[in-house]
């Protein structure tokens, strides 16, 4: 009885050679081309996958799966677990499928622009051949790898490299940062229009004591600071790198026309050392941060024509006192990766020392002109002030979301808890609709420049926020 059972199992579970489709078999794929995002030379790519279907009513045995360029190809495959250059005798049952995983490595060359890399996956069934194209764009880059280590009092180590500031960073070649890239004392790093900087996990651009950062983008060619990975959902994923750190003692930092996205903090700005702003920030977008967009610690920051959005905690955290002026800016927080309960604008004038004592830090002034502070939290502003400390702040011609009753002495011509009617906040489009209450409610006296974040001429009176209202048909 046992022998008969075994014989029955073997004869019914095995597929006869005559059951396989041969030359007439046609496979289908989950994509007509397997495309890779831009790949930096020497770094290797992320893994992409494609599903291979057998739509036929009979099983298929693929004699060979390989690359058209063979061993010379820059691509490599994993065919249903087989990583050989040629995967053989791959079976797919009727109406079933397998996965193929691919990656690509790009050799450096002399090209300054992205260059196309092509190949194809070849499927051989009998005398028939099918091809699935593979494409990737390679880019050469300037790499900043750590070659020093500094340790703090707690024994934590920080790998870093010193940036050669003898030449400006330009659009000619992207820069890729790993670890801490340091602008050392007495040096200035200039970034010219169109510069692109890509950061690895936890990477930081650190402007050290006595150093200076000048980002000099333009309306047509902003400077980009973002994560190395920006394919698929990574294009908008926060927390993929660290921050730009303007540490205590850095001086006269300026940022104009920049896009900063997908990090932990956009700008971490420490205590001012002279009468000038620690950071003069203009015409800049900071978005998709897993902690805060702008984090000041006793700093002196001036900001104009800013969009700061999609931060897990705060778009703007002004801690440990300091001096701040923001004008014609939009702080809009509709963070959707998790529940956000904290307000996005935080003003603070104290800290707790190691012995538990409250140490006061004067908030000399935090002034907001023609600004929108709005988002998904019930109250988007928190005043975290210690008794006896200095806390001076004001809002003029702003649209604010707050449940607090602010003293009349600190507000002037403000709108409260009125939906700004952004064009499409789900798509992070913070232009204004025609019916927006912010339209035409700003004060021209607070304009530091006559153009908005789109470099369009402001109306008179201007709209509140980073964007002037204009009819979409005029785009």
């Amino acid at each position: 009885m046992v022998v008969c059972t075994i014989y029955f199992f073997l004869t019914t579970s095995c597929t006869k050679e005559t059951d396989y489709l041969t030359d007439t078999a046609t496979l289908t794929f989950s994509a007509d081309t397997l495309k890779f995002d831009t790949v930096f030379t020497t770094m290797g790519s992320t893994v992409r996958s494609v599903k291979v279907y057998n739509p036929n009513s009979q099983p298929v045995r693929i004699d060979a799966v390989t690359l058209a360029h063979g061993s010379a190809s820059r691509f490599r495959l994993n065919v249903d677990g087989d990583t050989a250059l040629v995967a053989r005798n791959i079976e797919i049952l009727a109406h079933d499928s397998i996965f193929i995983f691919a990656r690509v490595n790009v050799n450096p060359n002399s090209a300054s622009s992205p260059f196309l890399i092509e190949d194809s996956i070849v499927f051989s069934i009998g005398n028939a051949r099918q091809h699935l194209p593979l494409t990737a764009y390679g880019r050469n880059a300037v790499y900043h790898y750590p070659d020093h280590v500094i340790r703090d009092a707690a024994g934590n180590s920080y790998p870093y490299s010193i940036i050669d500031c003898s030449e400006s960073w330009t659009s000619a070649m992207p820069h890729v940062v790993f670890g801490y890239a340091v602008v050392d004392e007495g040096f200035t790093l200039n970034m010219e229009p169109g510069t692109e900087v890509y950061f690895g996990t936890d990477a930081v651009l650190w402007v050290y004591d006595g150093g200076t950062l000048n980002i000099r983008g333009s309306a047509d060619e902003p400077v980009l600071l973002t994560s190395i990975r920006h394919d698929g959902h990574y294009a908008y994923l926060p927390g993929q790198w660290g921050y730009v750190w303007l540490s205590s003692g850095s001086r006269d930092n300026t940022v104009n026309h920049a896009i900063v996205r997908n990090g932990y903090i956009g700008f971490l700005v420490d205590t001012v050392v002279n009468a000038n702003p620690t950071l003069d920030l203009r015409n800049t977008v900071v978005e998709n941060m897993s902690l805060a967009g702008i984090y000041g610690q006793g700093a002196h920051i001036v900001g104009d024509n800013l969009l700061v959005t999609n931060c897990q905690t705060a778009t703007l955290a002004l801690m440990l006192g300091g001096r701040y002026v923001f004008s014609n800016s939009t702080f809009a927080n509709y963070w959707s990766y998790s529940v956000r309960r904290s307000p996005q604008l935080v003003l603070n004038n104290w800290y707790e020392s190691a012995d538990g004592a409250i140490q006061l830090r004067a908030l000399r002034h935090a002034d907001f002109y023609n600004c929108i502070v709005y988002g998904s939290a019930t109250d988007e502003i928190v005043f975290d002030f210690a008794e006896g400390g200095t806390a001076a702040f004001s809002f003029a011609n702003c649209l604010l979301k707050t449940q607090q009753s602010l003293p009349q002495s600190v507000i002037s011509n403000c709108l409260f808890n009125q939906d700004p009617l952004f064009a499409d906040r789900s798509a992070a489009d913070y232009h204004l609709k025609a019916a927006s209450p912010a339209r035409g409610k700003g004060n021209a006296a607070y304009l530091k420049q006559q153009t908005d974040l789109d470099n369009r001429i402001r109306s008179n009176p201007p709209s509140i926020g980073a964007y002037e209202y204009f009819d979409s048909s005029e785009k």
Side-chain angles (χ1 to χ4, degrees):
M1 184 66 174
V2 173
V3 174
C4 292
T5 302
I6 294 174
Y7 176 78
F8 177 79
F9 174 80
L10 291 175
T11 55
T12 56
S13 63
C14 295
T15 304
K16 299 178 182 178
E17 290 294 327
T18 55
D19 289 337
Y20 288 103
L21 284 177
T22 54
D23 296 5
T24 60
T26 299
L27 304 172
T28 59
F29 311 107
S30 58
D32 56 8
T33 302
L34 192 54
K35 299 177 182 178
F36 288 79
D37 192 48
T38 301
V39 179
F40 291 110
T41 56
T42 75
M43 284 187 57
S45 72
T46 56
V47 175
R48 304 301 298 271
S49 65
V50 63
K51 208 168 186 180
V52 182
Y53 298 95
N54 173 16
N56 305 285
S57 56
Q58 291 176 253
V60 169
R61 178 184 291 158
I62 306 170
D63 298 319
V65 180
T66 189
L67 293 158
H69 292 170
S71 60
S73 177
R74 303 313 308 164
F75 296 89
R76 287 296 179 265
L77 303 178
N78 179 326
V79 183
D80 207 31
D82 191 335
T83 59
L85 186 60
V86 181
R88 301 187 183 278
N89 300 321
I90 304 298
E91 298 182 3
I92 309 179
L93 298 177
H95 305 295
D96 204 351
S97 61
I98 62 167
F99 276 101
I100 294 181
F101 299 91
R103 57 183 175 83
V104 59
N105 283 285
V106 184
N107 287 334
N109 59 25
S110 60
S112 58
S113 299
F115 49 92
L116 181 64
I117 305 156
E118 296 181 291
D119 202 342
S120 63
I121 306 174
V122 183
F123 301 85
S124 301
I125 304 175
N127 295 320
R129 302 287 184 273
Q130 281 186 256
H131 293 257
L132 177 66
L134 299 166
T135 64
Y137 282 93
R139 291 193 77 180
N140 292 295
V142 178
Y143 296 95
H144 301 271
Y145 291 106
D147 52 7
H148 301 74
V149 175
I150 189 172
R151 289 180 173 81
D152 62 18
N156 299 310
S157 60
Y158 301 91
Y160 71 95
S161 60
I162 300 295
I163 295 174
D164 179 3
C165 296
S166 60
E167 295 183 358
S168 298
W169 290 10
T170 71
S171 61
M173 199 81 73
H175 288 255
V176 179
V177 174
F178 298 93
Y180 288 70
V182 178
V183 180
D184 210 351
E185 180 179 3
F187 290 90
T188 297
L189 173 61
N190 295 312
M191 296 187 190
E192 302 301 334
T195 299
E196 297 177 31
V197 187
Y198 297 89
F199 292 86
T201 303
D202 298 327
V204 171
L205 177 59
W206 182 4
V207 185
Y208 190 62
D209 184 4
T212 299
L213 173 66
N214 286 333
I215 294 180
R216 307 188 292 209
S218 67
D220 295 330
E221 294 184 286
V223 170
L224 175 66
L225 288 79
T226 189
S227 50
I228 289 176
R229 291 201 65 177
H230 43 277
D231 54 303
H233 79 284
Y234 288 97
Y236 307 100
L237 185 65
Q240 295 184 66
W241 59 282
Y243 39 88
V244 177
W245 183 11
L246 308 177
S247 67
S248 180
S250 71
R251 60 189 66 218
D252 305 329
N253 302 288
T254 61
V255 176
N256 193 16
H257 290 292
I259 299 171
V260 185
R261 61 166 61 114
N262 299 353
Y264 178 63
I265 300 172
F267 294 96
L268 176 60
V269 188
D270 284 342
T271 306
V272 68
V273 295
N274 58 27
N276 298 329
T278 319
L279 173 62
D280 189 327
L281 181 63
R282 301 171 188 263
N283 304 303
T284 291
V285 176
V286 181
E287 59 186 356
N288 308 334
M289 297 293 156
S290 59
L291 182 65
I294 301 170
Y295 197 116
Q297 299 187 113
H300 183 184
I301 302 176
V302 174
D304 184 61
N305 266 10
L306 309 179
L307 171 63
V308 188
T309 182
N310 198 31
C311 301
Q312 184 171 7
T313 301
T315 56
L316 189 57
L318 309 181
M319 313 298 288
L320 309 182
R323 290 175 282 170
Y324 308 94
V325 178
F326 293 94
S327 52
N328 310 296
S329 297
T330 298
F331 302 96
N333 204 1
Y334 295 92
W335 174 266
S336 59
Y337 289 95
S338 59
V339 177
R340 178 181 70 90
R341 294 185 176 88
S342 59
Q344 64 170 310
L345 171 58
V346 183
L347 304 181
N348 162 277
N349 68 347
W350 65 278
Y351 71 96
E352 185 176 334
S353 59
D355 60 4
I358 300 300
Q359 304 295 326
L360 300 178
R361 294 287 298 271
L363 181 62
R364 301 295 180 188
H365 60 84
D367 300 320
F368 297 83
Y369 306 105
N370 293 352
C371 289
I372 295 174
V373 181
Y374 212 86
S376 55
T378 302
D379 196 324
E380 290 291 5
I381 304 174
V382 61
F383 302 105
D384 181 23
F385 298 145
E387 185 177 351
T390 299
F393 62 93
S394 67
F395 299 92
N397 294 83
C398 292
L399 193 162
L400 309 173
K401 186 177 184 182
T402 179
Q403 307 307 310
Q404 302 171 70
S405 179
L406 301 182
Q408 291 299 310
S409 59
V410 301
I411 57 174
S412 174
N413 299 316
C414 290
L415 304 174
F416 291 93
N417 304 315
Q418 297 185 41
D419 190 330
L421 296 180
F422 294 123
D424 187 354
R425 71 188 192 200
S426 64
D429 183 352
Y430 296 104
H431 293 83
L432 303 176
K433 294 181 179 179
S436 172
R439 179 182 175 184
K441 295 298 177 63
N443 188 332
Y446 301 135
L447 295 181
K448 294 189 175 182
Q449 53 193 335
Q450 296 305 309
T451 53
D452 72 352
L453 188 54
D454 282 334
N455 203 35
R456 295 177 64 97
I457 299 297
R458 291 272 189 180
S459 300
N460 190 6
S463 296
I464 300 173
Y467 297 107
E468 186 59 47
Y469 170 78
F470 60 92
D471 192 316
S472 60
S473 65
E474 299 176 11
K475 288 184 178 181

